[in-house]
Amino acid sequence: MLNTIKRFAAGLLIAVLLTGTFSVTTAEAALARPANCHFVRWNNKKFTSCRIGWNKVSNADGYEIKWTYTNNSHYKHTYQYYVYNVLDINDLAYNHVYQVQVRAIKLSRNSSKITAYSPWSNYVFITPWPRTLSGKLSGSNKVKVKWNPIYGSSGYNIFLTTNPYGSWRWNQSTAKKATATSATIKRYKGKKLKKYTNYYLRVVTRIKRNGKFCSVPEPGSGYYSGTFYIYTTYTYN
């Protein structure tokens, strides 16, 4: 009789343990953080529309995407209630850096409310290049160029070439602030600028986070910010 009671007690314990193993419902299960949030492309050369993407999250019913200036102001967000893992962000300020994050969401059975959120993804930065450029001759065979500021940036890199579809050469970097919006171009490939030659410029926004410079997306193959041509005493854009 005693052995029977022991066997019954052991069987009951196993049943309780097995029941507890399956007590977590799907709605309560944690959603994974969306991985690899990244910039996909510019949708135009005005820097007002772009596409971002991320890795799909298993069991997610959709995603919430938020974007702000780098100082966390100008907050905007939207929901993506499909399995698509890309989003076009429009009506961006062409003169400001944005930061974007994504999180997965779970919906109730009738899709009337959100029942669970994942942690936010990594940041991805939307980094426009200056889109207005002007220049003038500064002394003998030197050209001073100016451009519109990109607020939230860490300065600018200037690249130069004589063929916009060929190789670009770094020329110089500006001071590490958004308002350092001018530079004097003196040389190309280590030599003084030549007359009667078309020079193409790229003014590329720099952005530094956690001590490292971030990758800055290119508007497209062959894109350049402006061009100049020196002859006697005149320049033009």
Side-chain angles (χ1 to χ4, degrees), residues 47 56 62 153:
F47 304 106
K56 291 182 178 180
S153 73

Side-chain angles (χ1 to χ4, degrees), residues 203-222:
V203 182
V204 181
T205 308
R206 298 194 299 171
I207 179 168
K208 195 172 188 179
R209 288 293 179 270
N210 300 320
K212 296 181 179 180
F213 283 103
C214 304
S215 175
V216 177
E218 191 175 310
S221 177

Side-chain angles (χ1 to χ4, degrees), residues 98 120 129 137 147 178 215:
Y98 287 84
W120 286 106
W129 297 12
L137 200 64
W147 56 87
S215 175

Side-chain angles (χ1 to χ4, degrees), residues 20-212:
T21 303
F22 298 99
S23 63
V24 177
T25 65
T26 304
E28 293 170 337
L31 288 169
R33 180 197 308 269
N36 189 33
C37 186
H38 61 282
F39 186 97
V40 178
R41 72 184 188 206
W42 287 106
N43 295 328
N44 60 31
K45 293 180 180 179
K46 295 182 179 180
F47 304 106
T48 58
S49 176
C50 74
R51 174 171 292 184
I52 62 164
W54 57 90
N55 293 355
K56 291 182 178 180
V57 174
S58 179
N59 296 320
D61 293 321
Y63 303 92
E64 181 183 12
I65 303 94
K66 68 174 181 178
W67 58 98
T68 69
Y69 285 1
T70 50
N71 62 3
N72 293 311
S73 67
H74 294 75
Y75 173 89
K76 291 185 178 181
H77 77 132
T78 189
Y79 290 98
Q80 178 76 284
Y81 290 110
Y82 303 97
V83 294
Y84 303 132
N85 57 327
V86 296
L87 178 74
D88 289 332
I89 301 178
N90 302 310
D91 300 321
L92 296 167
Y94 71 90
N95 61 350
H96 214 292
V97 179
Y98 287 84
Q99 56 190 20
V100 185
Q101 283 182 293
V102 179
R103 64 179 174 180
I105 59 175
K106 194 72 180 174
L107 300 175
S108 61
R109 289 191 176 183
N110 61 2
S111 300
S112 63
K113 64 179 181 178
I114 298 172
T115 59
Y117 294 94
S118 77
W120 286 106
S121 71
N122 59 286
Y123 280 108
V124 60
F125 295 98
I126 301 174
T127 315
W129 297 12
R131 72 179 195 185
T132 61
L133 183 73
S134 63
K136 64 180 180 180
L137 200 64
S138 175
S140 176
N141 288 32
K142 299 177 185 178
V143 175
K144 184 173 183 178
V145 293
K146 298 180 68 175
W147 56 87
N148 66 278
I150 305 296
Y151 298 103
S153 73
S154 307
Y156 310 87
N157 279 315
I158 299 173
F159 295 86
L160 203 64
T161 189
T162 54
N163 175 11
Y165 291 94
S167 298
W168 289 85
R169 296 181 68 89
W170 176 86
N171 185 271
Q172 60 185 283
S173 297
T174 68
K176 298 177 181 179
K177 55 184 180 179
T179 53
T181 57
S182 66
T184 299
I185 311 297
K186 302 176 183 179
R187 293 178 176 272
Y188 176 63
K189 292 186 176 181
K191 298 180 180 180
K192 291 182 179 180
L193 300 177
K194 296 179 180 180
K195 293 180 181 178
Y196 317 117
T197 301
N198 281 313
Y199 292 98
Y200 300 85
L201 289 95
R202 280 180 169 178
V203 182
V204 181
T205 308
R206 298 194 299 171
I207 179 168
K208 195 172 188 179
R209 288 293 179 270
N210 300 320
K212 296 181 179 180

